Amino acid sequence: MKILILGSGQVGSTVAQNLASLPGNDVTIVDINEKALQNLSSRLDVQTMLGNGASPFVLRRAGAADADLLLALTRSDETNIVACKMAADLFNIPSRIARVRSTDYLDYRTESEDNGNSLDLFDITESISPEQLVTERLVGLLSYTSALQVLRFADDKARMVIVQARKGGLLVNREISQINRHLPEGVDCQICAIYRNNHLIVPSAQTVIIEGDEVFFVAGTENVAAIMRELRPREQSNRRIMIAGGGNIGYRLAKQLENQYDIKIIEYNRNRAEWLAEHLDNTLVLQGTATDETLLDEEYIDEIDVFCALTNDDESNIMSSLLAKNRGAKRVITIVNRSSYVDLLEGNKIDIVVSPHLITIGSILAHIRRGDVVAVHPLRRGTAEAIEVVVHGDKHTSSLVGRRVSEIKWPSGCHFAALVRDNEVVMGHKEDAVMEDGDHIIFFVSRRRVLRELEKLIEVKMGFFG
């Protein structure tokens, strides 16, 4: 497949690395930053082109005429949008994916039959909105008091939750096989991975969970809270939330949650603060900086259940989070764009670090992976993934359909977590379950190099289309 990537920033370069490592992909990266392109070409098997991706001459020289996929991932919405329009009208590129950060393009509704948004005018096949994706991730985290990550699958019928086991949890210092003795009738889960001191443990029925373990489990959405109680002592639910930063993400989060929680939002820019006060109904808007100790103390930071640092500045987010934690905030969630910072911060003074780039990359990968891949969530700083796929065909055209879970030789490092059929969620430990056409299957992949093997298992043989 011939792929054009516009933008060599963190998102573009990471996606290029993923695609260039797969056989059969011919990747070309276009950017105006010559130094960044030289760095990429020295470490990846890709071609580079210096120039503006919104120029038809640059696109033509980059090979747009015979490209199969355009990924417009620059930091400029307008460049991405114009490039997709030209890719469709001038070069007939079949698939065109654009990264769009401004909510204006998404929120403005057109009068077309399907009531789409303004991006439909530019022939964009798929749009990726980092702000929307990050907001959804934050809402999931705030739904559970102590979750490190919450991932949704199969239209939110199942969730994968990452939680750190704590002393006082009913399952701590006990074997996983004992979980059913404590869970309410009808509640089930699959513990698909445990990380202990940053080392993966593939769990068995005899694995003992100890305090500090990072536990990855999948369950039906309605059962998640009951399972988390097994792994951690009972904690008070979130009620008071303080948000530092009233940009797109801060505003979206407050707007979505202000009728469920007591929310305060701190915004430095006076005009933006006034705008927020006009557009939010039940949120207290404060004009100031979240690194102001006096302001935090006056607003009773020691009574805040969750402090969310959501500005565009990594250093400001880190410093305000550390200050809030030091002044008594019970839990701190911080947005950090630089991936090198994530490893240093998470699990220390800052409880949860959210990486917009990793979330965005996961959404892009879900669109470009082979087979019916519905969702891709990078985990462990991108070294592992949670994947949702839909299987199609029958026993003759599919390697999975019509077969029991126990019959399949799964690639090493690929762990079957759950199967979702209609409204039923079947856990991976039920190995007699037979996979059917249309089933959603959730995998935890601890070794990303086996992804190509997994894609081959999912793919439908040609007879399916005959």
Side-chain angles (χ1 to χ4, degrees):
M1 180 162 58
K2 186 171 178 56
I3 303 166
L4 277 184
I5 299 177
L6 309 184
S8 64
Q10 196 161 19
V11 172
S13 60
T14 306
V15 171
Q17 184 175 347
N18 273 270
L19 294 177
S21 63
L22 297 174
N25 284 342
D26 179 5
V27 178
T28 301
I29 306 172
V30 179
D31 202 292
I32 57 175
N33 188 329
E34 186 174 9
K35 187 176 180 180
L37 291 176
Q38 289 174 348
N39 180 44
L40 281 175
S41 61
S42 67
R43 60 188 180 87
L44 299 179
D45 183 17
V46 297
Q47 300 175 63
T48 59
M49 173 68 63
L50 183 66
N52 188 334
S55 163
F57 295 101
V58 172
L59 288 176
R60 185 176 65 185
R61 289 201 304 273
D66 58 350
D68 302 298
L69 170 65
L70 174 78
L71 294 170
L73 307 177
T74 76
R75 297 184 66 84
S76 166
D77 288 352
E78 288 69 29
T79 297
N80 297 339
I81 290 169
V82 170
C84 283
K85 182 64 174 173
M86 287 191 297
D89 292 353
L90 299 181
F91 302 106
N92 198 30
I93 298 178
S95 297
R96 305 162 299 278
I97 297 175
R99 176 190 186 192
V100 181
R101 305 177 74 188
S102 172
T103 57
D104 290 349
Y105 296 110
L106 300 166
D107 294 342
Y108 189 89
R109 314 311 295 180
T110 63
E111 295 182 1
S112 60
E113 289 183 8
D114 58 356
N115 192 30
N117 58 44
S118 59
L119 293 178
D120 296 336
L121 302 172
F122 297 92
D123 292 323
I124 295 172
T125 311
E126 297 285 349
S127 63
I128 307 293
S129 169
E131 281 83 0
Q132 185 174 337
L133 294 169
V134 172
T135 303
E136 290 171 0
R137 182 66 60 85
L138 291 169
V139 169
L141 286 168
L142 292 169
S143 301
Y144 303 107
T145 308
S146 52
L148 298 175
Q149 285 203 59
V150 180
L151 310 176
R152 305 179 185 204
F153 299 98
D155 296 323
D156 204 19
K157 292 170 187 167
R159 291 183 179 180
M160 177 180 287
V161 179
I162 305 172
V163 63
Q164 195 167 42
R166 289 294 187 205
K167 187 177 181 180
L170 297 176
L171 261 184
V172 176
N173 295 324
R174 299 186 183 179
E175 293 183 353
I176 290 175
S177 60
Q178 298 183 32
I179 189 168
N180 289 329
R181 301 178 191 175
H182 296 283
L183 291 177
E185 188 175 350
V187 175
D188 196 5
C189 78
Q190 175 73 30
I191 296 178
C192 45
I194 295 172
Y195 280 86
R196 183 174 298 164
N197 299 323
N198 286 324
H199 294 291
L200 172 67
I201 295 173
V202 179
S204 67
Q206 288 72 45
T207 301
V208 175
I209 297 173
I210 65 173
E211 183 181 3
D213 281 354
E214 206 170 290
V215 181
F216 293 57
F217 73 84
V218 174
T221 298
E222 69 279 5
N223 296 328
V224 169
I227 296 158
M228 289 185 69
R229 286 195 292 271
E230 301 298 301
L231 296 167
R232 295 178 68 97
R234 187 177 295 275
E235 297 169 321
Q236 284 189 324
S237 60
N238 299 325
R239 194 164 67 85
R240 301 182 185 90
I241 297 172
M242 182 178 283
I243 298 172
N248 286 336
I249 296 174
Y251 167 69
R252 278 172 172 259
L253 186 65
K255 190 70 174 176
Q256 192 164 338
L257 298 179
E258 63 179 351
N259 293 323
Q260 301 170 243
Y261 303 96
D262 297 329
I263 297 181
K264 298 177 182 180
I265 188 167
I266 301 174
E267 169 56 42
Y268 177 75
N269 183 285
R270 180 174 292 277
N271 291 335
R272 180 65 177 178
E274 291 174 355
W275 185 92
L276 290 168
E278 291 174 6
H279 289 80
L280 292 169
D281 300 319
N282 299 314
T283 297
L284 176 62
V285 180
L286 306 165
Q287 195 268 316
T289 172
T291 53
D292 182 344
E293 296 178 45
T294 303
L295 176 61
L296 293 179
D297 289 340
E298 287 176 350
E299 295 303 325
Y300 304 102
I301 187 65
D302 58 328
E303 296 180 3
I304 294 296
D305 296 311
V306 187
F307 178 90
C308 301
L310 310 180
T311 76
N312 290 323
D313 184 85
D314 283 355
E315 284 74 17
S316 177
N317 287 341
I318 293 166
M319 293 308 297
S320 63
S321 297
L322 293 173
L323 183 61
K325 191 74 171 180
N326 189 53
R327 309 297 279 193
K330 296 176 182 63
R331 193 168 176 231
V332 171
I333 300 174
T334 308
I335 281 183
V336 174
N337 286 292
R338 290 183 63 175
S339 57
S340 58
Y341 284 2
V342 176
D343 295 333
L344 298 173
L345 296 169
E346 191 165 63
N348 294 315
K349 286 288 186 180
I350 296 175
D351 299 296
I352 299 174
V353 178
V354 174
S355 169
H357 286 143
L358 278 180
I359 294 171
T360 304
I361 289 162
S363 182
I364 293 168
L365 292 177
H367 290 297
I368 59 182
R369 285 270 168 82
R370 296 181 182 180
D372 272 327
V373 178
V374 180
V376 177
H377 298 286
L379 300 167
R380 302 292 301 177
R381 275 69 78 184
T383 59
E385 288 185 0
I387 302 175
E388 175 190 351
V389 305
V390 181
V391 293
H392 289 299
D394 54 33
K395 200 161 186 175
H396 304 291
T397 58
S398 167
S399 300
L400 302 179
V401 175
R403 293 168 176 82
R404 291 192 299 273
V405 174
S406 58
E407 288 182 55
I408 307 299
K409 185 180 180 182
W410 302 105
S412 175
C414 175
H415 310 283
F416 187 101
L419 177 156
V420 182
R421 181 181 303 145
D422 298 326
N423 292 316
E424 182 185 11
V425 182
V426 180
M427 294 304 130
H429 59 78
K430 297 186 176 177
E431 295 189 338
D432 286 337
V434 176
M435 292 170 279
E436 297 180 4
D437 178 68
D439 284 351
H440 289 244
I441 300 177
I442 303 164
F443 295 99
F444 174 80
V445 180
S446 60
R447 299 163 63 218
R448 295 183 66 253
R449 60 179 177 271
V450 306
L451 288 170
R452 183 66 193 119
E453 295 176 55
L454 180 60
E455 286 177 352
K456 286 180 179 178
L457 271 178
I458 299 163
E459 286 175 355
V460 181
K461 300 182 180 73
M462 290 304 294
F464 179 69
F465 303 101

